[in-house]
Amino acid sequence: MYNCTLFGEDYSYLVPLLLYQKENGHVHSRFANGFNIKMGDSLIFIGNKKNGLLPFGIHLREENTFTAVSSVNNGDSVTWNGSTNSIELPGVTISIEKGKSFKNQLTTLKSDTIFKDSLERFCLQLIEIEDRTGLDISLKEFLKKYYASDEQNWLGAESYLIMLMEAAESRDEGLIEKVLRYFLGRGQGLTPSGDDMIVGLLAFDAVSHFLSASFYEKVSELIEGESITTDVAREYLRYALKQEFSSTVSNMVNALADGDATNFEKVFHDLIGVGHSSGLDTILGILLGMLTFKKLK
C-alpha cells in the first residue's frame, strides 16, 4: 500500500526509455531539492527545477518535492510500473502520466561577429564576479592574466587550465588523458568542480564544434572504465558527451551562440546560481571553450 501518488510536471524525453530498459532499482542519493534513483547503470533525478530541467530528470512542483524527499530513504527499492506510467517506492509513487516531455534544444553558433560580441559580453560579466570557483580559481584574476601582454608563469590549477585549452585543440591522446585525469573527480560534492568544468567545455563545443573526436573518446573511456569520479558527475558527463545538458547550461550556451543580449543576464545568473559552486565551475568550462575556439579562428 503506497502512501500517496505525486505527479511529475515535466520529464526528460529520455526518461521513459531508461525506465522500460531497467524496471527495478533503488534510491541512490537524497537531498533537499530531490533524490536520484539508480535503475541499472543509469541515474534518474526526481525533484524540483531549482537547477533547471535535467536531461535525466522528472520534475515535481515545489510543494510536492518536500513530500517526495520526506517519503524516501537511500537504498529504498524502486519499481517502474509501465501499465500506470509510475515509479513505485515504499513511501510514495511518482507518476509521469500527466507530465509533459521536454528536450533541452541547442542552437549553433551563428557567426564570427556574434562570437566576438558574445565573448566580450561574457568576459565583462565574469570580471564582476568576486567568488572563486570550487577549485579556488578567480575568474577575474585568470582573465586579467590571460589577456596581459607579458608572458605568464602559470602555476597550480591555473597551469592545468592552460593545459586543458591545449588538449582541447589537440589530438594528442597522452596530453588529453593527463589533463582529464587532473580534473575528473577533483573537488567536493556530488558533482566535483573539475567535472562541472568539463561539462561546460563540452557544452560550448556542442554549439561551436571545435573539440576532436579523441577528446570525447578519452572522456568516455575514463568515466566508463574507471571509478574516477562520482556517480552523479558521471551521469552528467555521459549526457554531455551526447550533447544533452540541463536547461540552465543549454540556455547559457544558446545565448552565447545566437547573440541574445536581451536574455543574457538572466541565463547567466540562473547558471551561476546552480549548486554551491557548480554553476561557476561550469561557467569556467564554457569560458575555456570560448578562449580555445578564439585561438582556432
Side-chain angles (χ1 to χ4, degrees), residues 265-280:
E265 283 203 30
K266 180 187 185 305
V267 299
F268 183 87
H269 289 292
D270 284 348
L271 181 50
I272 287 287
V274 171
H276 179 64
S277 71
S278 283
L280 198 56

Side-chain angles (χ1 to χ4, degrees), residues 114-275:
I114 283 176
F115 171 74
K116 183 180 175 183
D117 291 345
S118 289
L119 178 58
E120 182 178 351
R121 189 179 299 118
F122 198 51
C123 289
L124 286 173
Q125 285 281 349
L126 295 179
I127 61 175
E128 297 296 319
I129 295 174
E130 297 296 338
D131 294 340
R132 301 177 78 87
T133 72
L135 297 179
D136 196 32
I137 291 164
S138 163
L139 293 174
K140 181 194 295 188
E141 291 170 13
F142 176 76
L143 275 170
K144 186 177 177 182
K145 284 176 70 174
Y146 184 82
Y147 279 111
S149 56
D150 55 322
E151 190 72 24
Q152 295 301 326
N153 182 23
W154 298 100
L155 300 171
E158 287 187 340
S159 68
Y160 277 89
L161 298 184
I162 300 301
M163 198 184 302
L164 178 59
M165 291 173 62
E166 293 170 1
E169 59 178 308
S170 168
R171 285 171 173 75
D172 180 341
E173 291 191 14
L175 175 62
I176 293 169
E177 180 169 347
K178 179 180 179 180
V179 74
L180 286 174
R181 284 191 180 280
Y182 179 83
F183 284 114
L184 293 176
R186 185 170 292 269
Q188 304 299 312
L190 286 172
T191 58
S193 298
D195 300 77
D196 289 326
M197 199 182 69
I198 300 299
V199 167
L201 178 70
L202 292 168
F204 188 72
D205 180 68
V207 298
S208 60
H209 313 296
F210 66 93
L211 287 172
S212 68
S214 301
F215 193 93
Y216 275 77
E217 288 163 7
K218 189 56 70 174
V219 174
S220 179
E221 180 185 313
L222 289 173
I223 65 170
E224 300 298 348
E226 302 180 22
S227 300
I228 198 168
T229 189
T230 65
D231 288 348
V232 180
R234 180 184 298 110
E235 205 70 17
Y236 276 105
L237 285 162
R238 281 174 172 168
Y239 282 91
L241 291 171
K242 295 183 284 188
Q243 302 195 332
E244 299 276 356
F245 302 91
S246 69
S247 60
T248 51
V249 175
S250 299
N251 291 343
M252 182 73 261
V253 293
N254 284 344
L256 293 167
D258 63 21
D260 183 4
T262 57
N263 203 34
F264 183 83
E265 283 203 30
K266 180 187 185 305
V267 299
F268 183 87
H269 289 292
D270 284 348
L271 181 50
I272 287 287
V274 171

Side-chain angles (χ1 to χ4, degrees), residues 32-89:
N33 296 328
F35 58 95
N36 290 312
I37 59 173
K38 189 163 189 177
M39 309 295 278
D41 196 35
S42 298
L43 293 181
I44 295 171
F45 171 79
I46 300 171
N48 64 24
K49 304 173 190 176
K50 186 181 177 193
N51 293 332
L53 299 173
L54 305 189
F56 52 99
I58 298 172
H59 294 286
L60 307 172
R61 291 181 180 175
E62 191 65 49
E63 61 270 24
N64 288 341
T65 297
F66 177 79
T67 303
V69 171
S70 302
S71 304
V72 303
N73 293 293
N74 288 344
D76 280 356
S77 62
V78 176
T79 304
W80 168 245
N81 186 329
S83 62
T84 60
N85 284 330
S86 57
I87 297 166
E88 298 173 348
L89 299 102

